[in-house]
Amino acid sequence: MSATAAIWLSGSAYIDGRYMPIAEAMIPVTDWGYRRSDVTYDVVSVWDGAFFKLDDHLRRFRASMDWMRLHPRESDDDIRGILHELVRRTGLREAYVAMDCLRGAAPPNVRRHPANARNYLLAYAVPYVWLMPREVIERGAHLIVASTPRIPEVCVNPRAKNFHWADMTRALFEAQDKGADNPVLLDLEGNVTEGPGFNVFAVTDGVVATPDRGVLEGITRLAVIQLCDKLGLRCETRTVPLKELRDADEIFISSTAGGVMGVTRLDERILGNGRPGPVTERLHEAYWRFRREGWCCEPIDYARAEAAE
């Protein structure tokens, strides 16, 4: 392997029109994307050399940018091409591919208002990232109900993927302090929302339910809803009270970084004798099987890699 090829193995990045190895990717510390978390992002996975649900990710990313009034110069087709090129440069067959749109800083000679700041695209591809270690996924996650509530959606729109993670970060430390793998956050009324990087599902008497408010409308969440339809499982998107989650027969979570993952403990309650339940296992198996069979997949043409810039 040449030295030129080797520098791309750990990841590739694109910032404002230029490709580079991931180790060289940087943004100005004065940009509001960094200083004010004035940024939106999305993450799509690559498995077996193909993107999963890339159209849905691009659609959500554009909707998030529109909501945050971020308008980069790249079209959706441009972004699709950039993501493909990033993965081609790395040669990765399993990858975690992020796309961000950041607001820069207003020029010094104009009013310091976000309308006067340039918007630009950042994207990168690195080896596939798992939400939790594989051994945790196999035995089922241990979750807690966090004491910190989710930021209300009247303040920050959760459907526009964002970096406002102060509530999530505090909840992650609480989970660690209690020996758990991850937290679940509630809204101010005590209903289930989501966790850091994942959506939540409860299964009761064979019926699958997932919250419809205060959550990111996850693409893997969408895949689960579609899989339930394919498998003849009833799935409801609605308010999920905490009591319903605590009393559920099964709990599972979904994320781009891992697919469908079972939960075997919520606070002190052990579910399913400490193993993921049958509905969870059925959906987990179907998720990866359908992906292997090419469901909603967009293959990457690795032979088309352009010369590195």
Side-chain angles (χ1 to χ4, degrees):
M1 178 183 296
S2 68
T4 301
I7 65 173
W8 299 97
L9 286 178
S10 60
S12 59
Y14 168 97
I15 301 180
D16 200 15
R18 189 170 68 89
Y19 292 97
M20 65 205 73
I22 190 69
E24 297 177 12
M26 291 178 282
I27 63 170
V29 297
T30 54
D31 278 4
W32 290 344
Y34 164 68
R35 302 210 64 80
R36 300 181 178 179
S37 295
D38 196 351
V39 55
T40 189
Y41 73 107
D42 218 289
V43 178
V44 59
S45 67
V46 170
W47 200 261
D48 288 339
F51 285 104
F52 181 60
K53 283 188 165 289
L54 183 54
D55 285 342
D56 289 320
H57 280 283
L58 289 172
R59 190 177 302 113
R60 183 176 68 178
F61 186 43
R62 182 61 65 179
S64 296
M65 289 190 286
D66 289 345
W67 189 86
M68 296 184 72
R69 298 175 75 162
L70 289 162
H71 306 292
R73 62 186 176 183
E74 292 87 353
S75 68
D76 289 356
D77 284 343
D78 292 334
I79 297 171
R80 183 190 303 275
I82 289 164
L83 300 185
H84 272 267
E85 177 61 19
L86 287 170
V87 180
R88 283 196 293 264
R89 287 178 183 241
T90 66
L92 292 167
R93 305 288 298 179
E94 283 78 44
Y96 175 102
V97 186
M99 55 196 113
D100 303 356
C101 187
L102 301 89
R103 207 179 310 276
N109 59 334
V110 300
R111 184 165 66 111
R112 285 177 59 81
H113 188 281
N116 295 322
R118 187 175 59 89
N119 309 159
Y120 64 96
L121 187 75
L122 178 157
Y124 65 87
V126 294
Y128 187 82
V129 174
W130 293 91
L131 180 73
M132 299 177 291
R134 299 294 294 274
E135 59 270 20
V136 172
I137 295 174
E138 289 174 5
R139 56 101 157 137
H142 295 173
L143 304 185
I144 63 158
V145 177
S147 59
T148 300
R150 188 75 175 99
I151 296 173
E153 63 177 273
V154 295
C155 300
V156 176
N157 179 7
R159 288 172 295 282
K161 203 167 171 68
N162 60 75
F163 284 178
H164 296 282
W165 266 51
D167 53 349
M168 299 285 202
T169 299
R170 186 173 178 84
L172 280 165
F173 276 111
E174 182 181 0
Q176 177 175 277
D177 291 344
K178 293 181 177 180
D181 300 308
N182 261 303
V184 173
L185 284 75
L186 307 179
D187 64 19
L188 296 180
E189 286 72 48
N191 298 308
V192 178
T193 63
E194 58 191 347
F198 60 85
N199 290 110
V200 181
F201 294 79
V203 183
T204 304
D205 295 330
V207 177
V208 180
T210 192
D212 62 347
R213 294 185 304 158
V215 303
L216 176 73
E217 294 176 342
I219 303 303
T220 311
R221 170 182 178 268
L222 172 63
V224 169
I225 294 168
Q226 293 170 336
L227 284 172
C228 285
D229 183 60
K230 287 176 176 291
L231 299 175
L233 296 169
R234 181 175 162 191
C235 184
E236 301 174 347
T237 56
R238 55 172 172 76
T239 299
V240 177
L242 175 57
K243 185 178 188 306
E244 179 177 348
L245 189 72
R246 290 203 183 282
D247 295 343
D249 300 324
E250 301 177 40
I251 300 171
F252 65 88
I253 61 178
S254 67
S255 172
T256 292
V260 177
M261 296 163 280
V263 174
T264 52
R265 180 174 295 177
L266 180 65
D267 290 328
E268 300 306 315
R269 184 193 169 199
I270 297 175
L271 293 91
N273 295 317
R275 300 298 301 174
V279 172
T280 301
E281 288 286 81
R282 190 178 175 196
L283 286 165
H284 171 86
E285 187 277 332
Y287 173 83
W288 289 107
R289 174 168 53 85
F290 275 96
R291 287 195 64 168
R292 287 192 301 270
E293 293 172 357
W295 178 54
C296 296
C297 287
E298 184 171 309
I300 297 158
D301 183 358
Y302 292 89
R304 287 190 59 238
E306 299 174 5
E309 296 182 1

